[in-house]
Amino acid sequence: MIEHPQNRLHREETLVEGKLLRYTFVLGPLANNAFLWVAPKLKEALLIDAPAGIEALVLPYLEQHQSRLQATLLTHGHFDHIGGLQALKSLDAPVYGHKDDLGLIQHPYSPYYPHIHTPPGYIDHFLEGGEE
């Protein structure tokens, strides 16, 4: 796991009359947000974005709620949003992302941050826009 001093839970919210929980995490080298949505009664969860270090923050909440990660949704393919994908692979949750981001995800790099190494990511299911 990649440790960064800013990796932390930023906010915990209860929504839809307690049926849905949203955890906002700040992590990775650029302090990106990631969101874990948990439906405790269904024992299911959804992750939005996977910055580096996400696994150490998400796994305890999945265990706490005895929930299974159903999917990870990538907002876009920049290196700072995908750095934790490989570490989450063992959870067997499919990754959804836009088909146009595949090149960025498979070959993550930023000319502005050449010192940050990000392992290649992957997309299991492609989104094109307008899906429901």
Side-chain angles (χ1 to χ4, degrees), residues 17-48:
E17 298 175 2
K19 296 178 184 174
L20 190 60
L21 304 173
R22 180 175 66 187
Y23 297 97
T24 302
F25 301 101
V26 176
L27 34 43
L30 301 181
N32 290 84
N33 288 330
F35 305 92
L36 180 66
W37 293 82
V38 179
K41 288 186 180 180
L42 297 176
K43 299 193 179 301
E44 295 180 346
L46 169 71
L47 180 64
I48 303 199

Side-chain angles (χ1 to χ4, degrees), residues 68-79:
R68 181 180 184 283
L69 185 63
Q70 296 294 317
T72 298
L73 175 64
L74 301 176
T75 58
H76 60 283
H78 288 166
F79 75 99

